[in-house]
Amino acid sequence: METLFVHRYSGYCKLYDCCFISCGYTGYTIILNIFTKQVPSLFISLPLIKLGIMLFIFGESVNFYHHLILKDLRNDGSKEYKVPDKGLFFYIWCPHYGWQ
């Protein structure tokens, strides 16, 4: 949804790059799934599930907010590189990835 409605790209992405990135995310998901299945059911409880859901929603909200900041850098339709300075970009150069 972000790719369709939020992102404004300065150029195009090669098919090779898209495949490489997609394979990276797929590999990460598979590894994460393997490790998640190894967590003993002793640690799975309703309060922890609720906490996990709340942290996920918070992280995705922070991610979405910072993608909106990046989108607003190109409101005028320019294709030049601009450095964001709002939100957590003031403290870290990639807050839209650091919270996930």
Side-chain angles (χ1 to χ4, degrees):
M1 296 305 284
E2 283 183 3
T3 302
L4 292 174
F5 299 109
V6 176
H7 295 268
R8 292 185 181 156
Y9 297 100
S10 62
Y12 65 94
C13 187
K14 297 177 185 174
L15 180 61
Y16 171 80
D17 295 335
C18 291
C19 290
F20 183 75
I21 292 168
S22 297
C23 287
Y25 277 118
T26 301
Y28 175 73
T29 303
I30 290 169
I31 291 169
L32 192 61
N33 190 23
I34 290 169
F35 284 122
T36 301
K37 288 182 178 180
Q38 295 178 8
V39 174
S41 62
L42 158 72
F43 294 111
I44 300 174
S45 65
L46 190 58
L48 284 178
I49 291 173
K50 287 181 181 179
L51 176 64
I53 290 171
M54 288 189 309
L55 288 173
F56 175 80
I57 291 171
F58 175 74
E60 285 299 313
S61 300
V62 170
N63 182 17
F64 182 72
Y65 170 70
H66 287 90
H67 278 156
L68 289 176
I69 291 173
L70 291 173
K71 177 191 88 135
D72 289 341
L73 290 176
R74 294 206 173 128
N75 269 343
D76 58 358
S78 71
K79 300 212 182 263
E80 71 182 59
Y81 181 77
K82 297 177 184 175
V83 178
D85 60 355
K86 296 179 183 170
L88 294 175
F89 282 111
F90 184 76
Y91 303 102
I92 186 171
W93 67 280
C94 58
H96 53 303
Y97 293 119
W99 288 92
Q100 296 180 0

